[in-house]
Amino acid sequence: MTQAARFITFEGGEGAGKSTQIRLLASWLESHGIEVLLTREPGGSPSAELIRGLLLKGDVDKWLPISEALLLAAARADHIERTIKPALAAGKWVLCDRFYDSSIAYQGAAGGLGIQRVRDIQQIAFGNMRPDLTVILDLSIEKGLARALSREGAKSDMEDRFERMDKSFHETLRQAFLDIAAEEPERCCVIDADNTIEHIQHSIRSILEKRCKLA
Ligand SMILES: Nc1ncnc2c1ncn2[C@@H]1O[C@H](COP(=O)(O)OP(=O)(O)O)[C@@H](O)[C@H]1O
Ligand SMILES: [Mg+2]
């Protein structure tokens, strides 16, 4: 494979199937001889993983949205410089489970901080760095939360702070991802996640074949 390394992010609500799909896509790319780095946010570098622990555990209102947005931006800057950019420079495709659109949706839209404010924070933290492709998995709140709750290990690691936020929070979140996709159609694609795992994976592969010129 001679294509330039790509940076692909996966976004969407809880239980939409991001982690499931990203793993399947990584195996598929690897079967095409492409070296892949699979990473996730918050986290993805040793320092950013420390911040992840601060963000995902504890009470729902543990952080002010502004504090949350700043911590996420700090983690993301580290993740980009120390994990993502070196991997891309080494020719690896980087697949990231959540990225900056989640900050726009969670803290900006649903958390009430305002989208522009989150964009400004991110601009300061890491400038215009952006994914080549963003796959947005869209699913109803009810189905997403039911899937998230049935997920193995969902409760044991206590990393469910965001899953406990109320329904209107999740509705706003869903709409925010759709708005981002409408604003940036060349970067984003929305996939209906109310389908079988295999069908969704097939759709993602087709999009990659077209947009990333995979043979
Ligand atoms: N298309 C699907 N249909 C039914 N169950 C699914 C589907 N995709 C994922 N799941 C299951 O739903 C749960 C949540 O999926 P996961 O990939 O962890 O979602 P996310 O990472 O978006 O929160 C997991 O138990 C997973 O096996
Ligand atoms: Mg996940």
Side-chain angles (χ1 to χ4, degrees):
M1 281 282 162
T2 52
Q3 289 97 348
R6 309 283 177 169
F7 177 32
I8 302 169
T9 59
F10 282 67
E11 301 278 7
E14 313 298 335
K18 299 176 294 300
S19 303
T20 303
Q21 295 299 333
I22 206 168
R23 278 193 297 268
L24 292 170
L25 188 67
S27 317
W28 182 68
L29 288 170
E30 281 164 351
S31 77
H32 279 70
I34 293 175
E35 267 197 281
V36 175
L37 175 82
L38 189 50
T39 186
R40 57 106 192 251
E41 290 210 346
S45 66
S47 300
E49 288 291 327
L50 295 176
I51 296 178
R52 178 186 177 92
L54 298 177
L55 286 166
L56 298 187
K57 293 172 187 170
D59 293 340
V60 165
D61 60 356
K62 174 179 174 187
W63 295 107
L64 294 173
I66 180 66
S67 309
E68 210 160 70
L70 289 165
L71 282 167
L72 283 161
R76 187 161 300 128
D78 196 81
H79 184 207
I80 290 169
E81 289 303 320
R82 296 185 168 161
T83 302
I84 297 174
K85 283 186 180 172
L88 291 169
K92 292 181 187 163
W93 288 42
V94 177
L95 307 185
C96 189
D97 193 338
R98 291 197 181 283
F99 196 58
Y100 62 51
D101 297 306
S102 281
S103 291
I104 300 288
Y106 277 76
Q107 287 72 41
L113 202 57
I115 286 169
Q116 193 51 49
R117 202 145 167 232
V118 176
R119 287 212 172 112
D120 291 345
I121 291 167
Q122 302 203 120
Q123 178 66 35
I124 291 167
F126 49 85
N128 291 322
M129 203 276 182
R130 58 178 219 138
D132 297 301
L133 176 69
T134 297
V135 176
I136 295 173
L137 296 174
D138 182 57
L139 187 64
S140 72
I141 311 309
E142 292 74 18
K143 288 187 179 164
L145 289 180
R147 280 188 199 168
L149 288 174
S150 71
R151 183 171 45 205
E152 271 179 52
K155 296 198 186 80
S156 61
D157 60 7
M158 292 296 288
E159 288 182 352
D160 61 348
R161 202 180 133 236
F162 287 105
E163 283 168 15
R164 286 183 274 118
M165 304 216 169
D166 67 22
K167 185 164 182 279
S168 73
F169 182 95
H170 289 282
E171 292 288 2
T172 308
L173 202 59
R174 182 185 190 192
Q175 190 55 49
F177 284 122
L178 295 176
D179 292 346
I180 290 167
E183 232 175 84
E184 292 182 71
E186 73 296 336
R187 172 172 70 89
C188 303
C189 63
V190 178
I191 293 186
D192 180 3
D194 188 9
N195 223 313
T196 63
I197 290 173
E198 295 69 27
H199 188 278
I200 296 165
Q201 181 62 203
H202 180 77
S203 304
I204 294 171
R205 290 175 189 178
S206 303
I207 287 163
L208 247 76
E209 280 166 349
K210 278 193 221 107
R211 297 210 191 182
C212 298
K213 301 190 175 56
L214 265 177

